[in-house]
Amino acid sequence: MSHIEVKALEWKEARFSEKYERYVAYTILGMYEALEWSDGSYGGSIPAKDREAHNEEFSAQSIDHARAIAQSDFEMRIRSALIEKQEEPRQ
């Protein structure tokens, strides 16, 4: 397969308050989130595999770590929909 690159999530600031950081990225799969919880810890959420369920939350070490976890999940889901197609020989 030729080299396939999945684009980076586009994060937008979406704070609930001035005190705690929160960023969201909207995709065709749903919303990704990276944030600081009210207790000072970090984490985020990824779209649930069942579209009817709530996003799945996760813990992280920092906002950047939460973004990396979200990006990894996004790339995994996109790549899982791709297949390698063998080129037919030209005559």
Side-chain angles (χ1 to χ4, degrees), residues 36-64:
E36 180 181 2
W37 299 109
S38 60
D39 67 0
S41 63
Y42 297 96
S45 68
I46 59 175
K49 297 200 178 21
D50 175 357
R51 296 286 257 175
E52 300 300 317
H54 295 291
N55 273 16
E56 299 171 12
E57 294 180 350
F58 61 86
S59 296
Q61 298 170 351
S62 66
I63 290 288
D64 288 339

Side-chain angles (χ1 to χ4, degrees), residues 12-76:
K12 296 180 181 2
E13 188 172 25
R15 292 176 183 250
F16 288 128
S17 74
E18 286 296 314
K19 189 172 181 181
Y20 304 107
E21 291 182 89
R22 178 176 177 258
Y23 299 89
V24 296
Y26 296 98
T27 73
I28 60 171
L29 302 173
M31 183 186 76
Y32 285 85
E33 183 178 40
L35 56 83
E36 180 181 2
W37 299 109
S38 60
D39 67 0
S41 63
Y42 297 96
S45 68
I46 59 175
K49 297 200 178 21
D50 175 357
R51 296 286 257 175
E52 300 300 317
H54 295 291
N55 273 16
E56 299 171 12
E57 294 180 350
F58 61 86
S59 296
Q61 298 170 351
S62 66
I63 290 288
D64 288 339
H65 185 226
R67 287 181 183 183
I69 291 169
Q71 182 69 39
S72 178
D73 178 81
F74 179 66
E75 289 180 13
M76 178 199 64

